[in-house]
Amino acid sequence: MFVSGPVTAQLDPQGRITVTLPATDAEGMDPSGWSYVVTEQLVGVGSNRPPYNILLPAAQAEVDLDDIAPADPTKPNYLAVQGPAGPQGVPGPQGIQGPAGPSNTRWRRRDLPDSVIADALYAGTAPIITTAPGTTPTAGYIRHVPDPITLTGSEVRGAFTFVGAGNFRIGTVTPDTQYVLPTSRYPNTYASGQAVWGVEFGTDSRYLQVRYKHIGAASMFRLSIDGRKVTDTAQPAGGTTAGSGHLITIDLGSAAPRVIRLDFTTMPFGGIYLPPSAGLWRVPTQGGRFGVLGDSISDGSAHNTGGGTGTWVQRAGRLLGTTDVWEQGRGATGYCAPGTSANFGTRAPADIVGWGFDRLVIWGGYNDVGGFDQAVIRAAADALYAQIKQGLPACETTVIGCWAPTGTPAPSIVTTDETLRAAAAAAQLPFISPVTGTIYNAAGQVVAVHGPWITTGNAAAYVGTDNVHPTDAGHFYLSRRIVAALRELLPA
């Protein structure tokens, strides 16, 4: 069947038209796959609608032209009405990969490293380490410079991975323009005293020369090789002249590809010198970013070695398989207590929320005991937990209660611990009590009871002579107790 020529329909007195037409999908039509073109020519109308195509399927015997005529979106009172979805089309080409989002990958007990291996000492040949004043390296060595120090001469930009801190800056006067320090802890300035952080890199060199500015007896570091620490706690940097540049020369015994890590405390870093035949490359972090918002129990004291590098925090990070461990503690602070810096709520926006932690432990309250009413502590805890949950919605946050450094904690410590437990339950955050060793999940339900952390029987071994701060043995012990409690909260 062939259809040719136009079909004209006149309006009747009621303004209607009726016409019978062959279906556009009728059998035997030649050509097939065609459509009708409708042209409207109405006298007395300012402008007629542009011609449009229609299909008249055989399955629909009657069609009202008003139902299928296209609307003009340029006309007043136009209202778009969404029709039913059509069949899915062919997938288009894959777009470019977007930026990585937060990992939001929960720890699982089965994924954690073996605790004996994770916190073990390096079993290889002990490196030879010497320190000398001055910044003149071995002849021919090339300086690998951390950003943002300006490069000069033969210097190259070092492919370092900074861990435990961020927002590295240089000083404004000599020699500080040649040394970087992090500013990611309150008060977030170059001289703020964010002492604890580290740097990782890969190299195939036998010899390393570490450039740093000596501050004093507090300048210490810990070397790790291929994920194993050479010394259990930080060792003195060995400098002689405070305020001056020094070089630490490390002889690894042979040239071979290795991953090197240096954990610093109070050591402005000026880069690494290597022989020209050696390479230096970046290594990625693993295990997500683990942070602790705390006081001096986490930040360290005179009763443990190496300040914050020697507390439970770094050990727990290793036991949890995390290389990027941020110790964001400040002594004498708490939920309300500012100490000589600022309380948790004031510090949290710059020290915690802005750094995208995957896992976070909040441990405080001891410095609030006796100085603040329980209602005030509760209000501060409520506000802090809400701030953390809003700013880090994907972060796995756990609250540890009030530190109890004796086997017979005062009623005020017990009450503060209970206040923080109730606040954590209201915020749907897991809670661990050092007073009782009870572990609660995010619903406030008891998961396990491990018993008090400090007892009359172990206090002398784990707490310093000030009867408050843990010793080196105490921090070793606390890291095991805290990780054991965290494991109770993890899926299998």
Side-chain angles (χ1 to χ4, degrees), residues 101-107 289 353 356-360 387-397 429:
S103 69
N104 199 25
T105 300
R106 290 186 59 84
W107 276 318
R289 177 168 288 174
V353 173
F357 289 100
D358 298 289
R359 290 113 192 163
L360 177 69
Q387 183 180 181
I388 296 296
K389 293 191 72 171
Q390 180 179 9
L392 295 170
C395 180
E396 297 175 32
T397 302
L429 294 175

Side-chain angles (χ1 to χ4, degrees), residues 145 332 470 482:
V145 182
I482 291 171

Side-chain angles (χ1 to χ4, degrees), residues 49-375:
R49 185 164 25 209
Y52 54 92
N53 294 71
I54 62 171
L55 296 175
L56 299 178
Q60 190 170 355
E62 293 186 359
V63 176
D64 190 331
L65 195 61
D66 189 51
D67 291 336
I68 62 174
D72 186 352
T74 65
K75 299 298 183 184
N77 303 320
Y78 168 79
L79 178 63
V81 179
Q82 182 174 349
Q88 182 173 345
V90 178
Q94 182 176 343
I96 61 173
Q97 182 175 346
S103 69
N104 199 25
T105 300
R106 290 186 59 84
W107 276 318
R108 294 183 178 274
R109 288 196 297 272
R110 63 177 177 264
D111 298 328
L112 298 182
D114 184 295
S115 60
V116 175
I117 298 175
D119 201 27
L121 291 172
Y122 178 64
T125 302
I128 300 172
I129 302 175
T130 57
T131 303
T135 58
T136 303
T138 299
Y141 277 30
I142 296 173
R143 183 186 181 193
H144 294 253
V145 182
D147 194 38
I149 298 173
T150 301
L151 298 177
T152 60
S154 63
E155 296 174 347
V156 297
R157 184 64 67 202
F160 301 115
T161 298
F162 289 111
V163 291
N167 198 15
F168 285 80
R169 299 179 185 173
I170 58 173
T172 57
V173 297
T174 303
D176 294 340
T177 55
Q178 293 298 309
Y179 300 95
V180 298
L181 282 174
T183 61
S184 50
R185 191 174 72 169
Y186 188 90
N188 313 107
T189 63
Y190 183 81
S192 67
Q194 181 165 8
V196 182
W197 55 282
V199 61
E200 288 190 343
F201 56 91
T203 183
D204 56 355
S205 181
R206 172 178 174 173
Y207 298 100
L208 318 174
Q209 291 185 318
V210 184
R211 179 171 175 172
Y212 83 101
K213 176 185 170 184
H214 191 67
I215 302 300
S219 296
M220 305 182 77
F221 75 99
R222 179 174 51 234
L223 169 67
S224 296
I225 303 172
D226 290 332
R228 299 292 176 264
K229 55 191 178 180
V230 173
T231 56
D232 189 52
T233 57
Q235 64 185 82
T240 57
T241 307
S244 298
H246 288 65
L247 289 179
I248 299 174
T249 299
I250 302 173
D251 180 359
L252 298 171
S254 63
R258 302 177 176 90
V259 174
I260 301 297
R261 178 179 177 124
L262 295 164
D263 288 300
F264 298 122
T265 178
T266 319
M267 281 184 63
F269 176 58
I272 302 290
Y273 292 94
L274 296 178
S277 60
L280 186 149
W281 57 90
R282 185 182 182 277
V283 295
T285 60
Q286 65 183 41
R289 177 168 288 174
F290 172 56
V292 175
L293 176 60
D295 52 27
S296 57
I297 306 302
S298 302
D299 193 32
S301 72
H303 297 274
N304 71 274
T305 305
T309 62
T311 69
W312 69 271
V313 178
Q314 295 291 334
R315 292 185 183 275
R318 290 192 289 271
L319 294 174
L320 293 168
T322 300
T323 59
D324 192 12
V325 181
W326 291 46
E327 187 278 291
Q328 296 290 70
R330 277 293 193 186
T333 64
Y335 288 88
C336 304
T340 57
S341 53
N343 62 31
F344 287 5
T346 300
R347 288 161 45 203
D351 290 8
I352 301 298
V353 173
W355 293 105
F357 289 100
D358 298 289
R359 290 113 192 163
L360 177 69
V361 167
I362 302 172
W363 188 6
Y366 184 82
N367 294 314
D368 300 311
V369 172
F372 299 89
D373 183 78
Q374 292 299 315

